[in-house]
Amino acid sequence: MDKCKRFAIVRITLLMMLFTLFSPITVHTMMSKFSDVEGHWASGTIAWAVENNVVSGFPDGTFRPNDPVTEPEFLVMLLGAFPEITLSEGLQNKPWYERYYLLAEEYNWPILHDTKGSLFNRGHVAHLLAATQGNNLSLNDAVQYVLDAGIANGKTSATVSGFGIQDKLKRSEALTLIKNMYDLGLVLVEAQGKIIPAPPVSIASFTVRGISIGDSKQEVIDQLGLPARYDLSEYGFDWYIYNQDYAKYVQVGVQDGLVVGLYSNVDNWTTESGVRMGSPASVVKEKYGEELTFILKGYTKFLINVEQQDESPLYLIDGNYVTVFLDKHNNDSVAAIQIIDEKMELSLLDFHGVPSDKLRISFERQVFDLANSVRVRFGKKAFVWNDQIAATARKHSKDMADNDFFAHTNLSGQSLSDRLEEDGIKYLTAGENIAAGQSSAVFAHEGWMNSKGHRVNILGDFQRLGVGVHFGGSNETYYTQNFYTPY
């Protein structure tokens, strides 16, 4: 069993690369149709680029339209679309992209020499494109210029603030901007005046499968495709559940068209700090300092209990509340991460979300998916969902809430085996995990994984799983997992 609350509440009054970096310009597949662009929103633009010898793609027959474009890739695309500018021949003993940089310098265009793409973003693209029209402008003025000229339409709106200056530009988006210039009849010219350096780049602190807090819903779908389902969260936003491949499992929280939450318990995320799956707790503390001991929401201080501080430390990083889940049975190493937008976290003025059937079903399905994703991570076969035993689990959660107890044996003396027999479930082996008080399926699951007996059940040899959640009672939310192998 697992019974805990994350917070205590105290009320207080207080006042492209177009090619790979190894000599891509020698690759000339010239495909009219790439294997990964059919049905993509930019497929027509990509076909135009192939037809006009602007791109040729990768040796494996792909274009990778949703990958971020790098600075060398963008220069190759841009100059490929405007061949009237003559490039020098390849320089002996120099990287393939050097001649593109030399031409950019000759034309007084602002460049970063960022060959790996870690810095190059939408703002830098606007900065560069404005210069190709003879204007060395400040970053914001350059963005306004490309919007006014009809080269770009912005990301969320046709404004400087809606342009997404710090965001990455996809390879498909890069071609769209270049084609817009081509269709407008523009030509590339030398920029006049002194280059005005762009402000330093703010790198996204956390990225899960290429998605960061603040990205648009469309970017999520472009990058990951449509989710398997849409779940309700305790915060009120929708979790986009990507469980099609448990080895790549991710939950993406979306509200009003923007990403406000991320969760993953597999190795598919990166951090600016270098913290990653498997990092020891000592590295987490070194990079992020002391964990939070409370969150102040309005006039209410939510105290984080000591056990939670130890097992799932919480940090406020770059405007996001970040929970780092540690695996106490694997040397206190990082096992999962949850990132919630600061405004979203502060908007939840209670520990629990508003009870509803939709939230209950969402929690039940997430508990199932979380168990399967961690099983796949440990080389185990995924469970099969079973409605019959889920009903048994749901009844036990309701019984605990209604009768104010927390145990595997109910007040009538019925054990798990008694309840399974009563419901006509024949089994070879069976097991049960229960939890109460956790604010979400994520916290219930991560708590179980740090409890040896519960962990053994989740990673055991059972074949089927049903989950039952009930809202109510003194602990507000009760979770039951019932595992079994059919007879």
Side-chain angles (χ1 to χ4, degrees):
M1 65 181 63
D2 190 3
K3 183 179 181 181
C4 65
K5 285 184 179 289
R6 188 179 174 208
F7 299 109
I9 302 176
V10 178
R11 299 207 177 271
I12 59 176
T13 302
L14 352 126
L15 268 188
M16 250 176 195
M17 240 172 32
L18 177 56
F19 314 94
T20 52
L21 285 179
F22 50 93
S23 188
I25 54 173
T26 63
V27 179
H28 297 291
T29 56
M30 290 304 169
M31 303 171 192
S32 60
K33 190 173 183 181
F34 297 110
S35 62
D36 59 347
V37 302
E38 184 176 356
H40 192 277
W41 64 266
S43 58
T45 298
I46 296 168
W48 165 85
V50 172
E51 183 179 348
N52 288 276
N53 298 323
V54 177
V55 299
S56 60
F58 291 86
D60 63 358
T62 63
F63 178 71
R64 304 175 195 175
N66 296 325
D67 281 3
V69 68
T70 65
E71 188 175 55
E73 288 177 348
F74 190 80
L75 288 171
V76 171
M77 292 178 180
L78 180 66
L79 295 171
F82 296 92
E84 60 271 15
I85 293 184
T86 305
L87 283 161
S88 62
E89 295 297 322
L91 303 175
Q92 190 173 7
N93 299 322
K94 294 287 186 179
W96 64 267
Y97 48 78
E98 192 65 32
R99 62 186 186 135
Y100 294 91
Y101 279 121
L102 286 175
L103 187 141
E105 290 173 349
E106 178 186 340
Y107 274 68
N108 197 33
W109 297 342
I111 48 177
L112 300 175
H113 288 279
D114 174 29
T115 60
K116 294 184 178 180
S118 58
L119 302 177
F120 193 62
N121 59 28
R122 294 173 61 91
H124 291 120
V125 170
H127 206 208
L128 173 59
L129 291 183
T132 69
Q133 301 307 296
N135 307 289
N136 264 323
L137 304 173
S138 69
L139 183 63
N140 283 353
D141 286 346
V143 170
Q144 192 62 60
Y145 177 86
V146 298
L147 291 171
D148 292 343
I151 297 171
N153 295 317
K155 186 173 181 180
T156 59
S157 66
T159 62
V160 173
S161 61
F163 189 78
I165 287 175
Q166 297 281 8
D167 297 337
K168 297 294 186 181
L169 187 76
K170 293 181 173 62
R171 289 163 55 82
S172 52
E173 294 171 331
L175 281 181
T176 300
L177 297 182
I178 292 168
K179 186 175 186 297
N180 288 345
M181 295 178 66
Y182 183 91
D183 291 343
L184 288 166
L186 303 179
V187 295
L188 307 184
V189 299
E190 181 179 348
Q192 303 302 309
K194 187 177 180 180
I195 294 174
I196 303 174
V201 174
S202 175
I203 301 173
S205 299
F206 301 90
T207 303
V208 182
R209 287 184 64 180
I211 303 299
S212 300
I213 299 293
D215 284 351
S216 69
K217 177 178 72 172
Q218 190 58 52
E219 285 181 293
V220 175
I221 293 171
D222 287 346
Q223 182 75 11
L224 304 179
L226 291 172
R229 68 173 188 274
Y230 304 91
D231 281 356
L232 183 63
S233 75
E234 68 273 25
Y235 297 94
F237 64 70
D238 286 332
W239 279 120
Y240 285 28
I241 305 295
Y242 289 91
N243 65 0
Q244 296 92 332
D245 181 351
Y246 280 124
K248 299 178 181 178
Y249 185 77
V250 64
Q251 297 182 194
V252 181
V254 176
Q255 186 173 71
D256 297 330
L258 296 175
V259 175
V260 294
L262 292 164
Y263 170 84
S264 174
N265 62 350
V266 298
D267 191 8
N268 59 6
W269 51 273
T270 59
T271 67
E272 181 185 359
S273 67
V275 170
R276 56 173 297 170
M277 285 286 287
S279 293
S282 58
V283 170
V284 175
K285 178 157 286 193
E286 175 190 340
K287 297 296 184 181
Y288 299 144
E290 292 298 320
E291 63 274 7
L292 297 179
T293 58
F294 68 90
I295 301 177
L296 185 64
K297 300 184 180 184
Y299 296 106
T300 304
K301 180 182 281 189
F302 288 74
L303 302 178
I304 304 170
N305 71 43
V306 175
E307 182 181 0
Q308 291 296 315
Q309 292 176 41
D310 182 49
E311 296 185 357
S312 51
L314 178 68
Y315 303 92
L316 181 58
I317 303 171
D318 294 340
N320 301 305
Y321 280 99
V322 180
T323 303
V324 180
F325 296 97
L326 302 175
D327 189 340
K328 311 304 289 185
H329 300 282
N330 190 20
N331 301 313
D332 272 348
S333 60
V334 175
I337 192 166
Q338 178 174 275
I339 307 126
I340 301 295
D341 172 78
E342 180 180 11
K343 291 180 181 178
M344 182 56 60
E345 179 63 56
L346 297 181
S347 72
L348 181 61
L349 298 179
D350 200 344
F351 176 65
H352 296 274
V354 178
S356 68
D357 280 343
K358 185 175 181 180
L359 186 61
R360 173 186 60 77
I361 293 168
S362 295
F363 281 1
E364 290 176 352
R365 293 294 180 171
Q366 285 170 42
V367 167
F368 176 76
D369 282 336
L370 294 169
N372 277 340
S373 60
V374 79
R375 281 177 67 83
V376 169
R377 195 175 91 208
F378 280 89
K380 303 286 186 177
K381 188 176 179 180
F383 290 123
V384 175
W385 175 269
N386 183 266
D387 282 328
Q388 187 179 13
I389 205 167
T392 302
R394 198 171 297 120
K395 285 189 292 185
H396 188 59
S397 289
K398 184 178 187 302
D399 189 13
M400 288 190 290
D402 290 349
N403 294 292
D404 197 24
F405 74 96
F406 184 72
H408 294 289
T409 300
N410 65 23
L411 299 185
S412 299
Q414 285 184 312
S415 65
L416 171 62
S417 59
D418 295 325
R419 286 181 271 119
L420 294 180
E421 182 178 352
E422 182 177 76
D423 289 342
I425 298 173
K426 296 181 179 181
Y427 62 92
L428 288 174
T429 57
E432 180 174 84
N433 287 345
I434 58 176
Q438 290 82 359
S439 60
S440 71
V442 165
F443 280 91
H445 167 78
E446 296 297 343
W448 280 327
M449 287 303 294
N450 272 329
S451 172
K452 187 174 181 180
H454 301 94
R455 182 188 185 97
V456 167
N457 279 343
I458 291 172
L459 298 179
D461 294 328
F462 302 110
Q463 294 178 1
R464 298 182 186 176
L465 171 61
V467 182
V469 172
H470 185 79
F471 298 121
S474 59
N475 286 295
E476 299 198 48
T477 309
Y478 291 78
Y479 305 81
T480 301
Q481 283 181 313
N482 281 164
F483 312 83
Y484 83 113
T485 297
Y487 181 73

